[in-house]
Each structure stands twice: as structure tokens, then as C-alpha cells.
């Protein structure tokens, strides 16, 4: 299935110079959304995933149904001040500014196998910070799954030590 026709380009959002790849048409189409979730889950089906960890907000939309498909648990990695228990936190740079991510300290048992999910990889700042948080708790990352990778921003170099899978690549 060609998912590109469900991805809308919005110039200068959220700031001038950024070409925003809007996945809401893909999410809203039952065939495209179900295909996306199934394809990513199928790719990782043999990886023995204990938990899927996904990143607020758009990562949650894909991460939770992928976890369900794999019979895995779900762990939210959130923006600051949202998680109620003790957290580990990491500040980082993203394509359009700075951000902070937090993860509950007891989210993983040592050695648990974790599939990381986000909607889109741009500079890789988010993915690298999330990876560091998960590994700081002693869990093992089995791979990263994205719907979209923006190849020219070279995010794959930042998380090059992990297995990476995506359905759509833009140059
Ligand atoms: C977007 C996207 C990724 C991140 C990728 O999230 O969902 O998480 O940017 O950018 P990077 O590779 O340059 O780090 P955003 O921070 O805009 O938050 P949202 O999901 O809440 O919209
Ligand atoms: N997250 C970071 N960069 C993005 C972009 N260009 N489009 C959509 N989401 C993004």
C-alpha cells in the first residue's frame, strides 16, 4: 500500500522553514492506519518484545496498537510534568527547538526487551534521548519503528546502533 498519499505537506509549520509531514490523513483512514500498525508489528513479531515504549504525543497513536498486536505491554515516554511517579528525565534538541522527556523509574525490569516506536524520525534528538532513558533503567532496546523517516536530517546516524524499520522515507 502506498502510504505517501495519506501524508500531507504543510510548509512553515510549526515555524518558518520547516516542512511539516502531517500524518493525520493516514491516521484517519481505516485501511491506511490498520495497514501501518500491522506492517510495523509484523516486522518485529519475531523479536520477542516484552514492552513497546512510545513517545508523546504522536508516538502513542501508533505505539499502543502495535503493543496490542504484539501482545506486549505499553510504556509512555512523556513530556515533562505529566508522569505522576518518580521519573528519569532528559533534555534534548529537536528539529524545531528544545524539549524534555520523562520516563517512570520503575517502567522496566532489568533485561526486558523493548520495541521503541515514534511516528517520525527527523534529527534523531528525540529518539536518542528516549533510548538513553530506557537503557538507563537496564532494559534492552530490540529496535526502533517509525512510520516516516526524514532521511536528509540524518537521524539514523544518531541511533545507528539499533535496528531501525520504517514504512515511508522522504529525502
Ligand atoms: C515530533 C515527532 C518526533 C520528533 C522527531 O514530536 O513526533 O517525536 O518530533 O523529531 P527529532 O527527530 O528531530 O527529534 P514533537 O516533539 O513535535 O511532539 P508531538 O508528538 O507532541 O507533536
Ligand atoms: N517532527 C520533527 N520534524 C517534523 C516534520 N518535519 N514533520 C512532522 N513531524 C516532525
Amino acid at each position: 500500500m502506498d502510504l505517501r498519499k495519506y501524508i500531507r505537506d504543510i510548509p512553515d509549520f510549526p515555524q518558518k522553514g520547516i516542512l511539516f509531514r502531517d500524518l493525520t490523513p493516514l491516521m484517519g483512514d481505516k485501511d491506511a492506519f490498520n495497514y501501518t500498525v500491522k506492517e510495523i508489528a509484523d516486522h518485529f513479531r519475531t523479536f520477542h518484545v516484552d514492552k513497546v515504549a512510545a513517545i508523546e504525543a504522536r508516538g502513542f497513536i501508533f505505539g499502543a496498537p502495535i503493543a496490542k498486536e504484539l501482545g506486549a505491554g505499553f510504556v509512555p515516554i512523556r513530556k515533562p510534568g505529566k508522569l505522576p511517579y518518580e521519573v528519569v528525565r532528559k533534555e534534548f534538541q529537536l528539529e524545531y527547538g528544545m524539549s524534555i522527556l520523562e520516563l517512570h523509574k520503575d517502567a522496566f525490569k532489568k533485561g526486558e526487551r523493548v520495541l521503541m516506536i515514534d511516528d517520525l524520525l527527523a534529527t534523531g534528538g528525540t529518539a536518542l534521548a528516549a533510548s538513553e532513558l530506557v537503557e538507563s533503567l537496564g532494559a534492552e532496546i530490540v529496535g526502533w519503528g517509525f512510520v516516516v523517516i526524514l532521511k536528509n536530517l540524518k537521524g539514523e546516524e544518531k541511533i545507528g546502533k539499533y535496528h531501525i524499520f520504517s514504512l515511508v522515507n522522504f529525502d
Side-chain angles (χ1 to χ4, degrees):
M1 179 177 222
D2 182 15
L3 293 176
R4 282 170 188 261
K5 64 173 192 259
Y6 301 98
I7 299 171
R8 175 167 58 186
D9 290 351
I10 313 280
D12 299 322
F13 182 89
Q15 60 198 43
K16 210 167 169 38
I18 300 290
L19 179 62
F20 192 85
R21 306 290 189 169
D22 176 20
L23 272 63
T24 59
L26 183 154
M27 295 166 189
D29 183 275
K30 63 179 188 303
D31 295 327
F33 183 64
N34 282 285
Y35 173 87
T36 298
V37 167
K38 176 105 176 12
E39 284 291 302
I40 296 176
D42 280 350
H43 181 82
F44 289 103
R45 220 172 272 284
T46 58
F47 282 54
H48 305 289
V49 175
D50 296 310
K51 285 176 177 161
V52 170
I55 299 165
E56 185 175 0
R58 285 175 270 151
F60 291 177
I61 295 160
F62 297 97
I66 289 168
K68 171 80 168 66
E69 272 284 321
L70 293 175
F74 180 81
V75 172
I77 300 176
R78 297 209 61 176
K79 305 277 163 72
K82 299 287 188 183
L83 289 170
Y85 184 60
E86 289 173 48
V87 296
V88 284
R89 66 154 36 199
K90 185 106 200 154
E91 192 168 328
F92 64 97
Q93 186 86 39
L94 80 170
E95 192 188 6
Y96 35 72
M98 291 296 294
S99 193
I100 295 172
L101 287 178
E102 293 184 345
L103 172 63
H104 272 155
K105 275 185 175 165
D106 65 349
F108 301 105
K109 294 191 205 75
K110 209 169 161 40
E112 271 188 317
R113 295 173 63 80
V114 183
L115 169 61
M116 306 292 290
I117 296 289
D118 206 352
D119 66 324
L120 178 143
L121 179 71
T123 63
T126 304
L128 181 62
S131 301
E132 288 172 2
L133 286 176
V134 169
E135 288 182 338
S136 76
L137 299 182
E140 185 189 341
I141 295 174
V142 301
W144 266 98
F146 301 95
V147 184
V148 173
I149 292 183
L150 306 183
K151 288 274 177 187
N152 61 334
L153 294 173
K154 304 205 183 306
E156 282 162 293
E157 289 174 10
K158 284 219 183 75
I159 52 165
K161 67 172 177 165
Y162 305 112
H163 176 101
I164 301 172
F165 177 73
S166 65
L167 292 174
V168 180
N169 296 324
F170 289 109
D171 294 324

